[in-house]
Amino acid sequence: MMRFKYIKRDPKICGGRPVFKGTRIPIYLILDYLSAGESIEEILENYPQLSPEAILEAIKYASQYTKLEEELIEIAN
């Protein structure tokens, strides 16, 4: 699993869900906006504390998590 510059998990913040560092914004929220068709520019208008790089890293995080989950499923079977 790769290291992330903009994302952290802390059991004391948002129940340990991954958030953008320095915020309480969970990455799933931004991923939901993207999947609903919002552009990065639209998201940044509503969340100016984020950067385009942080949003792209959230997509990478989701991809890495999905790959890891698939590997765990293969191991379990």
Side-chain angles (χ1 to χ4, degrees):
M1 191 78 133
M2 63 189 284
R3 295 241 182 245
F4 295 96
K5 180 177 178 180
Y6 301 102
I7 296 170
K8 75 181 270 179
R9 292 183 79 162
D10 182 334
K12 297 176 187 170
I13 300 172
C14 294
R17 290 184 179 94
V19 297
F20 293 96
K21 288 182 182 174
T23 76
R24 296 182 66 80
I25 303 169
I27 67 164
Y28 75 79
L29 179 66
I30 301 306
L31 294 170
D32 284 349
Y33 287 133
L34 290 169
S35 69
E38 285 202 34
S39 68
I40 290 176
E41 292 77 20
E42 290 171 317
I43 294 168
L44 292 173
E45 286 176 18
N46 293 313
Y47 296 93
Q49 63 272 50
L50 300 179
S51 67
E53 295 83 11
I55 293 172
L56 291 174
E57 188 175 272
I59 296 168
K60 290 179 189 174
Y61 182 94
S63 174
Q64 290 292 320
Y65 182 83
T66 301
K67 288 176 191 173
L68 177 61
E69 186 176 79
E70 287 174 359
E71 290 173 9
L72 291 173
I73 290 169
E74 284 181 22
I75 291 170
N77 292 327

Coordinates of all heavy atoms in Angstrom, one line a residue:
M1 N 0.8 -1.2 0.0 CA 0.0 0.0 0.0 C 0.9 1.2 0.0 O 1.9 1.3 0.7 CB -0.9 0.0 1.2 CG -2.0 1.0 1.2 SD -3.3 0.4 0.2 CE -4.7 0.8 1.2
M2 N 0.5 2.2 -0.8 CA 1.4 3.4 -0.9 C 1.1 4.4 0.2 O 0.0 4.3 0.8 CB 1.2 4.0 -2.3 CG -0.2 4.5 -2.6 SD -0.5 5.0 -4.3 CE 0.3 6.6 -4.4
R3 N 2.0 5.3 0.4 CA 1.8 6.4 1.4 C 1.0 7.5 0.7 O 1.2 7.7 -0.5 CB 3.2 6.9 1.8 CG 3.9 5.9 2.6 CD 4.2 6.4 4.0 NE 5.0 5.5 4.7 CZ 4.6 4.8 5.8 NH1 3.3 5.0 6.2 NH2 5.3 4.0 6.4
F4 N 0.3 8.2 1.5 CA -0.5 9.3 1.0 C -0.2 10.6 1.6 O -0.1 10.7 2.9 CB -2.0 9.0 1.2 CG -2.5 7.8 0.4 CD1 -2.5 6.5 1.0 CD2 -2.8 7.9 -0.9 CE1 -2.9 5.4 0.3 CE2 -3.2 6.8 -1.7 CZ -3.2 5.6 -1.1
K5 N 0.0 11.6 0.8 CA 0.4 13.0 1.3 C -0.8 13.8 1.8 O -0.6 14.5 2.8 CB 1.0 13.7 0.1 CG 1.5 15.1 0.4 CD 2.1 15.7 -0.8 CE 2.6 17.1 -0.5 NZ 3.2 17.7 -1.7
Y6 N -2.0 13.5 1.3 CA -3.1 14.4 1.6 C -4.2 13.7 2.5 O -5.2 14.3 2.8 CB -3.8 14.9 0.3 CG -2.9 15.7 -0.5 CD1 -2.3 15.2 -1.6 CD2 -2.6 17.1 -0.2 CE1 -1.4 16.0 -2.4 CE2 -1.7 17.8 -0.9 CZ -1.1 17.2 -2.1 OH -0.3 18.0 -2.8
I7 N -4.0 12.4 2.7 CA -5.1 11.6 3.3 C -4.5 10.9 4.6 O -3.3 10.5 4.6 CB -5.6 10.5 2.4 CG1 -6.3 11.1 1.2 CG2 -6.6 9.5 3.1 CD1 -6.6 10.2 0.1
K8 N -5.3 10.9 5.6 CA -4.9 10.2 6.9 C -6.1 9.5 7.5 O -7.2 9.9 7.2 CB -4.2 11.2 7.9 CG -5.2 12.1 8.6 CD -4.5 13.1 9.5 CE -4.4 12.5 10.9 NZ -3.7 13.3 11.8
R9 N -5.8 8.5 8.3 CA -6.8 7.8 9.1 C -6.3 8.0 10.6 O -5.2 7.7 10.9 CB -6.8 6.4 8.7 CG -7.4 6.2 7.3 CD -7.5 4.7 7.0 NE -8.7 4.2 7.7 CZ -9.3 3.1 7.4 NH1 -8.8 2.3 6.5 NH2 -10.4 2.8 8.0
D10 N -7.3 8.4 11.4 CA -7.0 8.6 12.8 C -8.3 8.1 13.5 O -9.4 8.7 13.3 CB -6.7 10.0 13.1 CG -6.4 10.3 14.6 OD1 -6.8 9.5 15.5 OD2 -5.6 11.3 14.8
P11 N -8.2 7.2 14.5 CA -9.4 6.7 15.1 C -10.1 7.8 15.9 O -11.3 7.7 16.2 CB -8.9 5.6 16.1 CG -7.4 5.6 16.0 CD -7.0 6.5 14.9
K12 N -9.4 8.9 16.2 CA -10.1 10.0 16.9 C -10.8 11.0 16.0 O -11.4 11.9 16.4 CB -9.0 10.8 17.7 CG -8.3 9.9 18.7 CD -7.2 10.7 19.4 CE -6.4 9.8 20.3 NZ -5.2 10.4 20.8
I13 N -10.6 10.9 14.7 CA -11.2 11.8 13.7 C -12.2 11.0 12.8 O -11.8 10.0 12.1 CB -10.2 12.5 12.8 CG1 -9.2 13.3 13.7 CG2 -10.8 13.4 11.8 CD1 -8.0 13.8 13.0
C14 N -13.5 11.4 12.8 CA -14.5 10.8 12.0 C -14.5 9.2 12.1 O -14.7 8.5 11.1 CB -14.3 11.2 10.5 SG -14.6 12.9 10.2
G15 N -14.3 8.8 13.3 CA -14.4 7.3 13.5 C -13.4 6.5 12.8 O -13.6 5.3 12.6
G16 N -12.3 7.1 12.5 CA -11.2 6.4 11.8 C -11.3 6.3 10.3 O -10.5 5.7 9.6
R17 N -12.4 7.0 9.8 CA -12.5 7.0 8.3 C -11.4 7.8 7.7 O -11.0 8.8 8.3 CB -13.9 7.5 7.9 CG -15.0 6.6 8.2 CD -16.3 7.2 7.7 NE -17.5 6.4 8.0 CZ -18.2 6.5 9.1 NH1 -18.0 7.4 10.0 NH2 -19.2 5.6 9.3
P18 N -11.0 7.5 6.5 CA -10.0 8.4 5.9 C -10.5 9.8 5.6 O -11.6 9.9 5.0 CB -9.6 7.6 4.6 CG -10.6 6.6 4.4 CD -11.3 6.4 5.7
V19 N -9.7 10.7 5.9 CA -10.1 12.1 5.7 C -8.9 12.9 5.1 O -7.8 12.4 5.0 CB -10.5 12.9 7.0 CG1 -11.7 12.3 7.7 CG2 -9.3 12.9 8.0
F20 N -9.2 14.0 4.5 CA -8.1 14.9 4.0 C -7.4 15.5 5.2 O -8.0 16.0 6.1 CB -8.7 16.0 3.1 CG -9.2 15.4 1.8 CD1 -10.6 15.1 1.7 CD2 -8.4 15.1 0.8 CE1 -11.1 14.6 0.6 CE2 -8.9 14.5 -0.4 CZ -10.3 14.3 -0.5
K21 N -6.1 15.4 5.2 CA -5.3 15.9 6.3 C -5.6 17.4 6.6 O -5.8 18.2 5.7 CB -3.8 15.8 6.0 CG -3.3 14.4 6.1 CD -1.8 14.3 5.8 CE -1.3 12.9 5.8 NZ 0.1 12.8 5.4
G22 N -5.7 17.7 7.9 CA -6.0 19.1 8.3 C -7.5 19.4 8.3 O -7.9 20.6 8.5
T23 N -8.3 18.4 7.9 CA -9.8 18.7 7.8 C -10.5 17.5 8.5 O -9.9 16.5 8.9 CB -10.3 18.7 6.3 OG1 -10.3 17.4 5.8 CG2 -9.4 19.6 5.5
R24 N -11.8 17.6 8.5 CA -12.7 16.5 8.9 C -13.5 16.1 7.7 O -14.6 15.6 7.9 CB -13.5 17.0 10.1 CG -12.7 17.3 11.3 CD -13.6 17.7 12.5 NE -14.4 16.6 13.0 CZ -14.0 15.6 13.8 NH1 -12.7 15.6 14.2 NH2 -14.8 14.7 14.2
I25 N -13.0 16.3 6.5 CA -13.7 16.0 5.3 C -13.4 14.6 4.9 O -12.2 14.3 4.5 CB -13.4 16.9 4.1 CG1 -13.7 18.4 4.5 CG2 -14.1 16.5 2.9 CD1 -13.1 19.4 3.5
P26 N -14.3 13.6 5.0 CA -14.0 12.3 4.6 C -13.9 12.1 3.1 O -14.6 12.8 2.3 CB -15.2 11.5 5.1 CG -16.3 12.5 5.3 CD -15.7 13.8 5.5
I27 N -12.9 11.3 2.7 CA -12.7 11.2 1.2 C -13.9 10.6 0.5 O -14.2 10.9 -0.6 CB -11.4 10.4 0.9 CG1 -11.5 9.0 1.3 CG2 -10.2 11.1 1.5 CD1 -10.5 8.1 0.6
Y28 N -14.7 9.8 1.2 CA -15.9 9.2 0.6 C -16.9 10.3 0.1 O -17.5 10.2 -0.9 CB -16.6 8.2 1.4 CG -17.5 8.7 2.5 CD1 -18.7 9.3 2.3 CD2 -17.0 8.7 3.8 CE1 -19.5 9.8 3.4 CE2 -17.7 9.2 4.9 CZ -19.0 9.8 4.6 OH -19.7 10.3 5.7
L29 N -16.9 11.4 0.8 CA -17.8 12.5 0.5 C -17.4 13.1 -0.9 O -18.3 13.3 -1.8 CB -17.8 13.6 1.5 CG -18.7 14.8 1.3 CD1 -20.1 14.4 1.3 CD2 -18.4 15.9 2.3
I30 N -16.2 13.3 -1.1 CA -15.7 13.9 -2.3 C -15.8 12.9 -3.5 O -16.2 13.2 -4.6 CB -14.2 14.3 -2.2 CG1 -14.1 15.4 -1.0 CG2 -13.6 14.9 -3.5 CD1 -15.0 16.6 -1.2
L31 N -15.5 11.6 -3.2 CA -15.7 10.6 -4.2 C -17.2 10.5 -4.6 O -17.5 10.2 -5.8 CB -15.2 9.2 -3.7 CG -13.7 9.1 -3.4 CD1 -13.3 7.9 -2.7 CD2 -12.9 9.3 -4.7
D32 N -18.1 10.6 -3.7 CA -19.5 10.6 -4.0 C -19.9 11.8 -4.9 O -20.6 11.6 -5.9 CB -20.4 10.7 -2.7 CG -20.5 9.4 -1.9 OD1 -20.0 8.4 -2.5 OD2 -21.0 9.5 -0.8
Y33 N -19.3 13.0 -4.7 CA -19.6 14.1 -5.5 C -19.0 13.8 -6.9 O -19.7 14.1 -7.9 CB -18.9 15.4 -5.0 CG -19.6 16.0 -3.8 CD1 -18.9 16.4 -2.7 CD2 -21.0 16.2 -3.8 CE1 -19.5 17.0 -1.6 CE2 -21.6 16.7 -2.7 CZ -20.9 17.1 -1.6 OH -21.5 17.7 -0.5
L34 N -17.8 13.3 -7.0 CA -17.3 12.9 -8.3 C -18.1 11.9 -9.1 O -18.4 12.1 -10.3 CB -15.8 12.4 -8.2 CG -14.8 13.4 -7.8 CD1 -13.5 12.7 -7.4 CD2 -14.5 14.4 -8.9
S35 N -18.6 10.9 -8.4 CA -19.4 9.9 -9.0 C -20.8 10.4 -9.4 O -21.4 9.8 -10.3 CB -19.5 8.6 -8.1 OG -20.3 8.9 -7.0
A36 N -21.2 11.5 -8.8 CA -22.5 12.1 -9.2 C -22.3 13.0 -10.3 O -23.3 13.6 -10.8 CB -23.1 12.8 -8.0
G37 N -21.1 13.2 -10.8 CA -20.8 14.0 -12.0 C -20.3 15.4 -11.7 O -20.1 16.2 -12.7
E38 N -20.0 15.7 -10.5 CA -19.4 17.1 -10.2 C -18.0 17.1 -10.6 O -17.3 16.1 -10.5 CB -19.5 17.4 -8.7 CG -20.9 17.8 -8.3 CD -20.9 18.6 -7.0 OE1 -20.0 19.4 -6.8 OE2 -21.9 18.5 -6.3
S39 N -17.5 18.2 -11.1 CA -16.1 18.3 -11.6 C -15.3 18.7 -10.4 O -15.8 19.2 -9.3 CB -16.0 19.4 -12.6 OG -16.3 20.7 -12.0
I40 N -14.0 18.5 -10.5 CA -13.0 18.9 -9.5 C -13.2 20.4 -9.2 O -13.2 20.8 -8.0 CB -11.6 18.5 -9.9 CG1 -11.5 17.0 -9.8 CG2 -10.6 19.2 -8.9 CD1 -10.1 16.5 -10.3
E41 N -13.4 21.2 -10.2 CA -13.5 22.6 -10.1 C -14.7 23.0 -9.2 O -14.7 23.8 -8.3 CB -13.6 23.3 -11.4 CG -12.3 23.3 -12.2 CD -12.1 21.9 -12.9 OE1 -13.0 21.1 -13.1 OE2 -10.9 21.6 -13.2
E42 N -15.8 22.3 -9.4 CA -17.1 22.5 -8.7 C -16.8 22.1 -7.2 O -17.3 22.8 -6.3 CB -18.2 21.7 -9.2 CG -18.7 22.2 -10.6 CD -19.7 21.3 -11.2 OE1 -19.5 20.1 -11.2 OE2 -20.7 21.8 -11.8
I43 N -16.2 21.0 -7.0 CA -15.9 20.6 -5.6 C -15.0 21.6 -4.9 O -15.2 22.0 -3.7 CB -15.2 19.2 -5.6 CG1 -16.3 18.2 -6.1 CG2 -14.7 18.8 -4.2 CD1 -15.7 16.8 -6.4
L44 N -14.0 22.1 -5.6 CA -13.1 23.1 -5.0 C -13.8 24.4 -4.6 O -13.4 25.1 -3.7 CB -11.9 23.3 -5.9 CG -10.9 22.2 -6.1 CD1 -9.9 22.5 -7.1 CD2 -10.3 21.8 -4.8
E45 N -14.8 24.7 -5.4 CA -15.6 25.9 -5.0 C -16.3 25.8 -3.7 O -16.4 26.7 -2.9 CB -16.7 26.2 -6.1 CG -16.1 26.7 -7.4 CD -17.2 26.9 -8.5 OE1 -18.4 27.0 -8.1 OE2 -16.8 27.0 -9.6
N46 N -16.7 24.5 -3.4 CA -17.4 24.3 -2.1 C -16.4 23.9 -1.0 O -16.8 24.0 0.2 CB -18.4 23.2 -2.3 CG -19.6 23.6 -3.2 OD1 -20.1 24.7 -3.0 ND2 -20.0 22.8 -4.2
Y47 N -15.3 23.4 -1.4 CA -14.3 23.0 -0.4 C -12.9 23.6 -0.7 O -12.0 22.9 -1.2 CB -14.2 21.4 -0.3 CG -15.5 20.8 0.1 CD1 -16.4 20.3 -0.8 CD2 -15.7 20.6 1.5 CE1 -17.6 19.8 -0.4 CE2 -16.9 20.0 1.9 CZ -17.8 19.6 1.0 OH -19.0 19.0 1.4
P48 N -12.8 24.9 -0.6 CA -11.5 25.5 -1.0 C -10.3 25.1 -0.2 O -9.2 25.4 -0.7 CB -11.9 27.0 -0.8 CG -13.0 27.1 0.2 CD -13.8 25.8 0.0
Q49 N -10.5 24.5 0.9 CA -9.4 24.0 1.7 C -8.7 22.8 1.0 O -7.6 22.4 1.4 CB -9.7 23.7 3.2 CG -10.7 22.6 3.4 CD -12.2 23.0 3.3 OE1 -12.6 23.7 2.4 NE2 -13.0 22.6 4.3
L50 N -9.3 22.2 0.0 CA -8.8 21.1 -0.7 C -8.0 21.6 -1.9 O -8.2 22.7 -2.3 CB -9.8 20.1 -1.1 CG -10.7 19.5 0.0 CD1 -11.7 18.5 -0.6 CD2 -9.8 18.7 1.0
S51 N -7.2 20.7 -2.5 CA -6.5 21.0 -3.7 C -6.8 20.0 -4.8 O -7.3 18.9 -4.4 CB -5.0 21.0 -3.5 OG -4.6 19.7 -3.2
P52 N -6.6 20.3 -6.0 CA -6.8 19.3 -7.1 C -6.0 18.0 -6.8 O -6.5 16.9 -7.0 CB -6.4 20.0 -8.4 CG -6.5 21.5 -8.1 CD -6.2 21.6 -6.6
E53 N -4.8 18.2 -6.3 CA -3.9 17.1 -6.0 C -4.5 16.2 -4.9 O -4.4 15.0 -5.0 CB -2.5 17.6 -5.6 CG -1.8 18.3 -6.7 CD -2.2 19.8 -6.9 OE1 -2.8 20.3 -6.0 OE2 -1.7 20.4 -7.9
A54 N -5.1 16.8 -3.9 CA -5.7 16.0 -2.9 C -6.9 15.2 -3.4 O -7.1 14.1 -3.0 CB -6.2 17.0 -1.7
I55 N -7.7 15.8 -4.3 CA -8.8 15.1 -4.8 C -8.4 13.9 -5.7 O -8.9 12.8 -5.6 CB -9.8 16.1 -5.6 CG1 -10.4 17.0 -4.6 CG2 -10.8 15.3 -6.4 CD1 -11.2 18.2 -5.2
L56 N -7.3 14.2 -6.5 CA -6.8 13.1 -7.3 C -6.2 12.0 -6.4 O -6.4 10.8 -6.8 CB -5.7 13.6 -8.3 CG -6.3 14.5 -9.4 CD1 -5.1 15.1 -10.2 CD2 -7.2 13.8 -10.3
E57 N -5.6 12.3 -5.3 CA -5.1 11.3 -4.4 C -6.2 10.5 -3.8 O -6.1 9.3 -3.6 CB -4.3 12.0 -3.3 CG -3.5 10.9 -2.5 CD -2.6 11.6 -1.5 OE1 -1.4 11.8 -1.8 OE2 -3.1 11.8 -0.3
A58 N -7.4 11.1 -3.6 CA -8.5 10.4 -3.0 C -9.0 9.3 -4.0 O -9.3 8.2 -3.6 CB -9.7 11.3 -2.8
I59 N -8.9 9.6 -5.3 CA -9.2 8.6 -6.3 C -8.2 7.5 -6.3 O -8.6 6.3 -6.4 CB -9.3 9.3 -7.7 CG1 -10.4 10.3 -7.8 CG2 -9.4 8.2 -8.8 CD1 -10.4 11.2 -9.0
K60 N -6.9 7.8 -6.2 CA -5.9 6.8 -6.1 C -6.1 5.9 -4.8 O -5.9 4.7 -4.9 CB -4.5 7.4 -6.0 CG -4.1 8.1 -7.3 CD -2.7 8.7 -7.2 CE -2.4 9.5 -8.4 NZ -1.1 10.3 -8.3
Y61 N -6.5 6.6 -3.7 CA -6.7 5.9 -2.5 C -7.8 4.8 -2.7 O -7.7 3.7 -2.3 CB -7.1 6.8 -1.4 CG -7.3 6.2 0.0 CD1 -6.3 6.1 0.9 CD2 -8.5 5.7 0.3 CE1 -6.4 5.5 2.1 CE2 -8.7 5.0 1.5 CZ -7.7 5.0 2.4 OH -7.9 4.4 3.7
A62 N -8.9 5.3 -3.3 CA -10.0 4.4 -3.6 C -9.6 3.2 -4.5 O -10.0 2.0 -4.2 CB -11.2 5.1 -4.2
S63 N -8.8 3.5 -5.4 CA -8.3 2.4 -6.3 C -7.4 1.4 -5.6 O -7.6 0.2 -5.7 CB -7.5 3.1 -7.5 OG -6.9 2.1 -8.2
Q64 N -6.5 1.9 -4.7 CA -5.7 1.0 -3.9 C -6.5 0.2 -3.0 O -6.3 -1.0 -2.8 CB -4.6 1.9 -3.1 CG -3.6 2.5 -4.0 CD -2.7 1.4 -4.6 OE1 -2.3 0.5 -4.0 NE2 -2.3 1.6 -5.9
Y65 N -7.5 0.8 -2.3 CA -8.3 0.1 -1.4 C -9.1 -1.0 -2.1 O -9.2 -2.2 -1.6 CB -9.3 1.0 -0.7 CG -10.2 0.4 0.3 CD1 -9.7 0.2 1.6 CD2 -11.5 -0.1 0.0 CE1 -10.5 -0.5 2.5 CE2 -12.3 -0.7 0.9 CZ -11.8 -0.9 2.2 OH -12.6 -1.5 3.1
T66 N -9.6 -0.7 -3.3 CA -10.3 -1.7 -4.1 C -9.4 -2.9 -4.5 O -9.8 -4.1 -4.4 CB -10.9 -1.1 -5.3 OG1 -11.8 0.0 -5.0 CG2 -11.7 -2.1 -6.2
K67 N -8.2 -2.6 -4.9 CA -7.3 -3.7 -5.2 C -7.0 -4.5 -4.0 O -6.9 -5.8 -4.1 CB -6.0 -3.1 -5.8 CG -6.1 -2.5 -7.1 CD -4.8 -1.8 -7.6 CE -5.0 -1.0 -8.8 NZ -3.8 -0.2 -9.2
L68 N -6.8 -3.9 -2.9 CA -6.5 -4.7 -1.7 C -7.7 -5.5 -1.3 O -7.5 -6.7 -0.9 CB -6.1 -3.7 -0.5 CG -5.9 -4.3 0.9 CD1 -4.7 -5.3 0.8 CD2 -5.7 -3.2 1.9
E69 N -8.9 -5.0 -1.4 CA -10.1 -5.8 -1.0 C -10.2 -7.0 -2.0 O -10.5 -8.1 -1.5 CB -11.3 -4.9 -1.1 CG -12.5 -5.5 -0.7 CD -13.7 -4.6 -0.7 OE1 -14.3 -4.4 -1.8 OE2 -14.1 -4.1 0.4
E70 N -9.9 -6.8 -3.3 CA -10.0 -7.9 -4.2 C -9.0 -9.0 -3.9 O -9.3 -10.2 -3.9 CB -9.8 -7.4 -5.6 CG -11.0 -6.6 -6.2 CD -10.7 -6.0 -7.5 OE1 -9.6 -6.2 -8.1 OE2 -11.6 -5.4 -8.0
E71 N -7.8 -8.6 -3.5 CA -6.7 -9.5 -3.1 C -7.2 -10.3 -1.9 O -6.9 -11.5 -1.8 CB -5.4 -8.8 -2.8 CG -4.8 -8.3 -4.1 CD -3.5 -7.4 -3.8 OE1 -3.1 -7.4 -2.7 OE2 -3.1 -6.8 -4.8
L72 N -7.8 -9.6 -0.9 CA -8.2 -10.3 0.3 C -9.3 -11.3 0.0 O -9.4 -12.4 0.6 CB -8.7 -9.3 1.4 CG -7.6 -8.4 2.0 CD1 -8.2 -7.4 2.9 CD2 -6.6 -9.3 2.7
I73 N -10.2 -11.0 -0.9 CA -11.3 -11.9 -1.3 C -10.7 -13.1 -2.0 O -11.1 -14.3 -1.7 CB -12.3 -11.2 -2.2 CG1 -13.1 -10.2 -1.4 CG2 -13.2 -12.2 -2.9 CD1 -13.9 -9.3 -2.3
E74 N -9.7 -12.9 -2.8 CA -9.0 -14.1 -3.5 C -8.3 -15.0 -2.5 O -8.4 -16.2 -2.6 CB -8.0 -13.6 -4.5 CG -8.6 -13.1 -5.8 CD -7.5 -12.6 -6.7 OE1 -6.3 -13.0 -6.6 OE2 -7.8 -11.8 -7.6
I75 N -7.7 -14.4 -1.5 CA -7.0 -15.2 -0.4 C -8.0 -16.0 0.4 O -7.8 -17.2 0.7 CB -6.2 -14.3 0.5 CG1 -5.0 -13.7 -0.3 CG2 -5.7 -15.0 1.7 CD1 -4.3 -12.6 0.5
A76 N -9.2 -15.4 0.7 CA -10.2 -16.1 1.5 C -10.9 -17.2 0.7 O -11.4 -18.1 1.3 CB -11.3 -15.0 1.9
N77 N -10.9 -17.1 -0.6 CA -11.5 -18.2 -1.4 C -10.4 -19.2 -1.7 O -10.3 -20.2 -1.9 CB -12.1 -17.7 -2.7 CG -13.3 -16.8 -2.4 OD1 -14.0 -17.0 -1.4 ND2 -13.5 -15.8 -3.2

